Amino acid sequence: MVLTIAIPLRKAYGLEDFITMRHLDNMARSCWPPGSIVAYGYFFEFFMSLLQRQQIRRFPGPAAPPWPLRAVLLRADLCNILTPQFLWSYKMRHNVAVLFIMSIVVNIGMWLERFVIVVISLTRDFVPSAWGRYSPTFWDWATFIGTMGMFVTLIFLFVRVLPGDFHRGNARTGGGDF
């Protein structure tokens, strides 16, 4: 999410005049409609599986993922559905610390959702004889850590190339020697 990056950059580089509270409010307002759409999609998928009586979609009985994965799936649902709904409140949208914490929680929820998709698809295939327990290999961990490193590197490169006047907090006058 943009809030996860914009809020620390705003504070670290003194960009309060450039990234105003109005910008943060607009970003927060643009976060809760997708949260509502995600909630609608989750509930629609659940109720359609009930109507079609699909055992694989509802996960009762033998098709259920193991308990730790069900707990991770529940946490992902709570992070992605419940947390953005707090942004309906004006006080929540105008508290920078709350906005930052909520953006971190939603990021964790989105990561958990992707984790569950990958792990359940590798653990429970459509053929029961292929069912097994997934455990990450060295290359899985290396890819995960490498993507985080690439993201941090690109953020630092972006901040380095950000115009010099913004670094000095002088976003209006220009004329820096960057």
Side-chain angles (χ1 to χ4, degrees), residues 70-129:
R70 276 186 272 174
V72 171
L73 185 60
L74 178 64
R75 287 185 189 115
D77 291 348
L78 291 176
C79 290
N80 291 334
I81 294 172
L82 187 63
T83 304
Q85 301 310 316
F86 288 113
L87 295 174
W88 286 81
S89 168
Y90 177 86
K91 289 182 180 180
M92 295 286 190
R93 286 194 318 262
H94 284 263
N95 187 338
V96 178
V98 169
L99 273 179
F100 183 68
I101 291 169
M102 282 187 184
S103 70
I104 295 293
V105 169
V106 170
N107 282 338
I108 290 171
M110 295 308 281
W111 185 85
L112 287 173
E113 180 182 349
R114 281 147 183 87
F115 176 80
V116 166
I117 290 170
V118 168
V119 170
I120 287 180
S121 66
L122 292 174
T123 302
R124 301 292 169 131
D125 197 4
F126 288 108
V127 181
S129 63

Side-chain angles (χ1 to χ4, degrees), residues 34-63:
S36 300
I37 292 170
V38 166
Y40 174 76
Y42 286 168
F43 291 126
F44 186 76
E45 180 182 8
F46 174 73
F47 286 120
M48 287 305 291
S49 67
L50 286 177
L51 289 174
Q52 296 174 358
R53 299 176 191 211
Q54 291 179 351
Q55 293 289 342
I56 288 231
R57 296 305 233 172
R58 285 189 282 160
F59 291 126

